[in-house]
Amino acid sequence: MALRILLLVLLIGLLAGPALMQSVQNTPPDQSWNRRPPGAGDYQIVLEVSGRVEVSRFFKPPDALDLRSICEAKREAERRAFVSAEGYLNSLVEAGDRRQFEIQTVQLHNELGQLSAYRGEMAKAVEHFEAAYQLLLSSLPRHPEFANDKVFMEELLGVAWMRSGELENCLHNHQAETCIFPLSKAAQHKLTTGSERAIEYFKKHLAQKPDNLEVRWLLNLVYQTLGKYPQAVPPAYLIPPSAFASKDKIGRFPDVAATLGVDAVGGAGGAIMDDFDNDGFLDLVISTVSACDSLRYFHNNGDGTFSDWTEKAKLADQLGGINCVQTDYNNDGWLDIFVMRGGWEFPMRNSLLRNNGDGTFTDVTQSSGLLSGEHRTHTVAWADFDNDGWLDLFIGHEQTPSQLFHNRGDGTFEDVTQTAGVGRTAFTKGAVWGDYDNDGYPDLYVSNYGEENFLYHNNRDGTFTEVGKQLHVEKPLMSFPVWFFDYDNDGWLDLFVASFVPSVTEVARGFLGLQPQAETMKLYRNDGKGGFQDVTKQVGLDRVVPTMGANFGDLDNDGFLDFYLGTGAPSYAALVPNFMFRNRAGKSFVDVTAATGTGHLQKGHGVAFGDVNNDGSQDLYVNVGGFIPGDSYNKVLFANPGQGNNWISIKLTGTKSNRAAIGAKLKLTLTDANGQKSLRYREVSSGGSFGASSLRQVIGLGKAARVDTLEAWWPASNTRQVFRNVNANQFIEIKEAEENYQLRSLRSFKMGEGAKEAHSPAAHNSEPDHTRAQSEVRRRPTKKP
């Protein structure tokens, strides 16, 4: 009976529309990631090849508080989707009336192709898509109106064959150069069938739709995999190599993840780079959207190796997690972890994991008052919003009211959302704190997908006022990761908001220098007068990059903050590089993706910057992998080759202020060899909203041999410490209210070659440091600036 009902539903759907594949080609109304709201632009959404829609139809909500039941519910939905489609297809074959059911047969082959792609079984996916395509060809004499559907299937088959080639060459035979765009000779495919067949179908499609930039981009990319780019690309479809060239050369960042044993294969998720056992070496933690896989904790042994401490740390039961971030919520000096779940999916619980200081973590979500199964969460942000010395928590939810929790200081939190006035309902994807008006209290920016963003000004009395539209920082509508940073070192926090426009076409338009048809990323410069200026075009960032994970750091130790964008969308067709942008002295940004070798083609999610090997240069860890089970990939660690510039590494430890020093500020005054003065500013945070960088601040000094003055400002005590003539190229720790900073001797090592040396204060400069601070106490302003 159920089968007959399904057949009737499909037949009714067929009679209601003129085209065979209409339901396949149209954007599904329940898929939030590929919405195109008014005002966001008139752009081409990437072709959907992932199976997410087909599986979601069979999903039954599990117990949102039980992580294991979430795993089982996802597996059951996948199983039921296959059983339904295969059963119905078999019944059509048995019926024998191919003329009556040929249309449904094509639809079911397409559905089974999508489901096989969801699992990563691309040979089966290709088999089903080919069967659907051949049936379409045979039906064209009777149904000429299906000609457009034939062309649609040609792109679909091109993507499926392309992904098949990726699996054979990039995942199963992975090496450091694999999937780094532009593809080097070492990255070319040895098994060529997938790429050759993809070219065949992409050419067929372009013969009918020569203006499809998405297919044109993919065709150029596939030719690269065969080593036949650019010479073999038909001239009409060629995107020239000059389109990908970097203007600045700052050295190639090799992927050393495999060498260090931190190249775990998995799906999308968060990434944290920080020191969880206080041994002076940055560890790595990654989460995954896969509900059946756990967090992974890689301990940095300080000798050029890492150990998997997941089991030892008691994290193996922490299943799933689209994002994660570090904190020290209880001020015990040991970094804790918060895991977010449910983003893009359905309500499920988050986790607060207390660091016990003995290498293990304990789930304290329930006892802390943070346990809930009512929300879909992708972002949280920690800050001490009332300057009482304890980190508070903003949790951004999707399509339910976001929440603000005040830290009571006893291990528990109080929900103060209503009083604070920050509980708006939106499709929230990113949240960050930053004191944009320098009044000593952190403000909150909330990035929403498909609608305007919020900027909550801290009123310093436990309440907030939303001023986003008033200050003209409410765009882009298609927002995702976001951060505050002082990109021009003028002492005022600027605001970067990435756009997530799921369009391969828009990426191609950017390379070709064509005008964007969608919202670009946004850079808002703080004018120092309480407002912001949109300088996106002025600084060279008026490009559309479908950004998911992202973060910032200083690539070349010139003291100006650069950034990395992880890109993609759930579809296998969303094959575009991640992007690296270099900051040119606070005046402009330039794409250095090709020069640095960081243009990974697989999906980029959690991004974290930090000095992994204590050599004074920031490295980059990226949680690479897609949203569906079949789109897993190796994580990457891009090692900074060093630029010959000086640096200083500073750990801040609060006493009256929160122990992790989140929200503390640094100001460095430098003099270069020509006697020119310059400034460097930092506000301590983990960076962007998708990926968590180390709280330890590595600040580039350029050619300056010392810091003339180093000022540290503390939020809870409102005190300022000033240190003079601080030598470059050393590690120091500044504790709130202490007269002297402390030198820290930390081993450095070359990636994969073991520990090599111990840094000491005299290693780079023989003159003594002036470690004694001049402490000042400044009263808080009684009025808003």
Side-chain angles (χ1 to χ4, degrees):
M1 179 63 70
L3 191 59
R4 293 177 182 176
I5 293 174
L6 177 60
L7 173 59
L8 180 61
V9 169
L10 284 173
L11 195 56
I12 291 173
L14 170 65
L15 294 175
L20 169 64
M21 303 295 289
Q22 184 175 9
S23 63
V24 177
Q25 295 185 62
N26 286 349
T27 301
D30 62 333
Q31 294 303 296
S32 52
W33 71 267
N34 54 8
R35 289 184 296 167
R36 186 167 49 194
D42 183 18
Y43 53 88
Q44 179 183 339
I45 295 173
V46 64
L47 176 73
E48 179 58 61
V49 189
S50 72
R52 286 188 70 212
V53 178
E54 289 74 14
V55 172
S56 67
R57 295 176 185 145
F58 294 87
F59 182 79
K60 292 184 178 180
D63 179 352
L65 301 180
D66 183 347
L67 300 181
R68 184 61 61 181
S69 74
I70 296 170
C71 164
E72 295 303 326
K74 283 190 172 183
R75 284 176 171 171
E76 179 62 12
E78 180 183 332
R79 186 193 67 81
R80 292 179 65 227
F82 269 98
V83 168
S84 174
E86 289 173 342
Y88 185 33
L89 180 61
N90 290 335
S91 71
L92 292 178
V93 173
E94 292 171 2
D97 190 347
R98 294 295 294 272
R99 291 180 60 190
Q100 180 178 358
F101 297 118
E102 64 183 3
I103 296 174
Q104 290 92 332
T105 302
V106 170
Q107 289 177 321
L108 285 165
H109 275 301
N110 180 78
E111 182 162 346
L112 284 166
Q114 293 278 0
L115 289 172
S116 298
Y118 180 84
R119 285 181 171 175
E121 297 172 347
M122 297 311 298
K124 289 185 179 179
V126 165
E127 181 182 336
H128 283 293
F129 290 145
E130 290 277 12
Y133 182 67
Q134 293 303 322
L135 283 170
L136 267 177
L137 290 179
S138 64
S139 69
L140 276 175
R142 299 184 300 279
H143 302 285
E145 68 273 20
F146 294 158
N148 286 336
D149 300 299
K150 166 188 169 290
V151 177
F152 164 80
M153 284 297 302
E154 285 164 353
E155 180 181 0
L156 191 67
L157 271 161
V159 172
W161 276 111
M162 179 183 72
R163 179 60 183 176
S164 179
E166 287 181 80
L167 286 178
E168 289 181 328
N169 295 274
C170 304
L171 187 62
H172 300 158
N173 295 292
H174 177 74
Q175 42 103 352
E177 288 293 313
T178 298
C179 279
I180 302 298
F181 179 86
L183 298 181
S184 67
K185 185 175 181 179
Q188 292 170 10
H189 291 187
K190 293 179 173 57
L191 303 175
T192 61
T193 300
S195 290
E196 289 168 349
R197 294 302 304 277
I199 288 173
E200 174 187 335
Y201 280 108
F202 286 150
K203 282 183 175 179
K204 287 181 178 180
H205 178 94
L206 287 169
Q208 300 299 315
K209 292 192 173 183
D211 295 331
N212 190 334
L213 267 181
E214 176 173 290
V215 176
R216 182 179 166 188
W217 160 263
L218 294 175
L219 180 69
N220 279 259
L221 195 57
V222 174
Y223 270 112
Q224 283 194 29
T225 69
L226 298 176
K228 296 181 178 181
Y229 171 89
Q231 67 275 11
V233 181
Y237 307 139
L238 178 66
I239 300 176
S242 59
F244 313 129
S246 297
K247 295 181 180 179
D248 290 3
K249 308 296 183 184
I250 64 171
R252 194 169 181 87
F253 287 56
D255 176 13
V256 298
T259 303
L260 298 180
V262 294
D263 62 334
V265 177
I272 307 172
M273 186 189 296
D274 221 319
D275 184 2
F276 286 97
D277 61 345
N278 290 333
D279 65 352
F281 297 96
L282 301 184
D283 310 303
L284 303 170
V285 172
I286 54 175
S287 65
T288 174
V289 72
S290 173
C292 301
D293 295 332
S294 74
L295 289 180
R296 298 290 297 274
Y297 173 22
F298 297 104
H299 175 259
N300 188 337
N301 300 322
D303 61 359
T305 66
F306 282 75
S307 298
D308 189 338
W309 277 18
T310 305
E311 292 282 349
K312 175 181 176 180
K314 299 183 179 179
L315 294 174
D317 290 333
Q318 290 296 324
L319 305 178
I322 185 62
N323 200 1
C324 55
V325 67
Q326 78 275 41
T327 182
D328 184 0
Y329 79 95
N330 56 358
N331 281 342
D332 66 352
W334 300 90
L335 289 177
D336 314 296
I337 300 172
F338 192 93
V339 183
M340 292 141 267
R341 299 185 179 92
W344 299 117
E345 295 190 283
F346 50 89
M348 60 181 86
R349 61 161 293 179
N350 301 315
S351 292
L352 175 61
L353 308 175
R354 184 188 67 215
N355 189 333
N356 299 319
D358 60 1
T360 67
F361 291 80
T362 298
D363 190 330
V364 295
T365 319
Q366 184 169 8
S367 62
S368 67
L370 297 176
L371 183 66
S372 172
E374 301 174 1
H375 307 284
R376 298 161 36 171
T377 307
H378 199 141
T379 185
V380 304
W382 292 87
D384 181 5
F385 77 82
D386 57 352
N387 284 332
D388 66 352
W390 297 89
L391 288 173
D392 311 301
L393 175 64
F394 177 83
I395 308 182
H397 301 307
E398 295 177 356
Q399 298 176 324
T400 55
S402 292
Q403 297 172 286
L404 178 62
F405 289 92
H406 180 256
N407 192 332
R408 294 189 178 106
D410 61 359
T412 66
F413 293 81
E414 175 188 5
D415 189 339
V416 295
T417 309
Q418 187 171 357
T419 302
V422 295
R424 293 190 175 197
T425 298
F427 199 89
T428 297
K429 299 304 295 180
V432 286
W433 296 92
D435 182 11
Y436 78 87
D437 56 356
N438 280 338
D439 68 351
Y441 286 79
D443 310 293
L444 175 66
Y445 190 87
V446 178
S447 166
N448 303 310
Y449 189 67
E451 50 199 302
E452 292 182 348
N453 305 320
F454 311 139
L455 175 56
Y456 292 108
H457 177 259
N458 191 331
N459 299 324
R460 306 198 299 269
D461 60 2
T463 69
F464 294 78
T465 300
E466 204 287 300
V467 295
K469 199 159 190 174
Q470 174 185 332
L471 298 185
H472 308 293
V473 294
E474 76 278 13
K475 300 288 180 64
L477 297 176
M478 308 299 286
S479 298
F480 200 163
V482 59
W483 60 69
F484 285 106
F485 70 158
D486 186 357
Y487 83 91
D488 55 357
N489 280 317
D490 66 352
W492 297 88
L493 285 178
D494 311 297
L495 177 63
F496 177 85
V497 191
S499 65
F500 177 57
V501 176
S503 173
V504 171
T505 296
E506 289 303 306
V507 174
R509 291 181 69 84
F511 280 121
L512 289 167
L514 301 175
Q515 189 72 19
Q517 293 183 334
E519 293 178 299
T520 69
M521 62 185 96
K522 289 289 186 181
L523 179 62
Y524 297 106
R525 181 181 179 272
N526 194 323
D527 63 12
K529 302 174 183 178
F532 292 88
Q533 300 171 343
D534 184 347
V535 295
T536 309
K537 189 170 186 177
Q538 176 183 327
V539 301
L541 293 178
D542 52 335
R543 293 178 63 176
V544 179
V545 177
T547 305
M548 300 183 298
N551 225 317
F552 60 86
D554 186 355
L555 296 177
D556 50 3
N557 277 340
D558 66 350
F560 289 89
L561 292 168
D562 317 294
F563 63 87
Y564 187 80
L565 304 180
T567 65
S571 174
Y572 289 121
L575 195 65
V576 297
N578 300 327
F579 286 82
M580 183 78 85
F581 287 90
R582 178 176 181 258
N583 186 339
R584 286 178 162 177
K587 305 297 183 183
S588 64
F589 288 83
V590 62
D591 184 346
V592 292
T593 306
T596 56
T598 55
H600 210 293
L601 283 167
Q602 300 301 317
K603 313 295 168 54
H605 287 87
V607 174
F609 281 84
D611 184 3
V612 168
N613 58 340
N614 288 340
D615 67 350
S617 296
Q618 287 187 295
D619 311 296
L620 176 66
Y621 192 61
V622 187
N623 190 333
V624 175
F627 203 85
I628 58 175
D631 203 4
S632 296
Y633 204 78
N634 300 81
K635 314 311 170 189
V636 298
L637 176 58
F638 291 115
N640 194 322
Q643 310 296 323
N645 285 330
N646 294 323
W647 51 272
I648 188 166
S649 183
I650 305 171
K651 178 181 179 181
L652 293 166
T653 302
T655 52
K656 185 174 182 181
S657 300
N658 70 87
R659 185 75 175 268
I662 292 174
K665 301 177 184 179
L666 292 167
K667 176 183 177 181
L668 284 68
T669 305
L670 312 175
T671 304
D672 66 18
N674 298 319
Q676 295 294 316
K677 296 283 186 181
S678 60
L679 300 172
R680 302 289 184 267
Y681 293 90
R682 296 291 186 273
E683 182 169 311
V684 177
S685 75
S686 58
S689 59
F690 198 176
S693 299
S694 170
L695 298 175
R696 191 170 80 194
Q697 301 296 299
V698 180
I699 303 175
L701 308 179
K703 299 304 179 183
R706 64 176 54 82
V707 180
D708 295 343
T709 58
L710 192 164
E711 302 177 42
W713 176 86
W714 298 92
S717 62
N718 194 28
T719 58
R720 191 179 306 273
Q721 296 161 288
V722 182
F723 305 94
R724 303 189 186 281
N725 297 322
V726 181
N727 288 339
N729 304 323
Q730 62 180 350
F731 301 87
I732 67 174
E733 180 175 359
I734 300 175
K735 292 185 179 179
E736 184 177 11
E738 290 194 0
E739 292 187 356
N740 301 322
Y741 64 77
Q742 297 183 7
L743 301 174
R744 306 185 74 205
S745 182
L746 297 178
R747 294 192 313 275
S748 69
F749 58 88
K750 292 185 178 179
M751 297 291 193
E753 296 185 16
K756 294 297 183 183
E757 64 181 282
H759 286 297
S760 66
H764 301 278
N765 195 305
S766 59
E767 297 184 20
D769 289 336
H770 294 264
T771 61
R772 187 173 298 277
Q774 299 175 350
S775 298
E776 305 172 9
V777 178
R778 308 274 176 95
R779 293 179 181 175
R780 301 192 189 286
T782 56
K783 296 181 180 180
K784 298 178 186 177

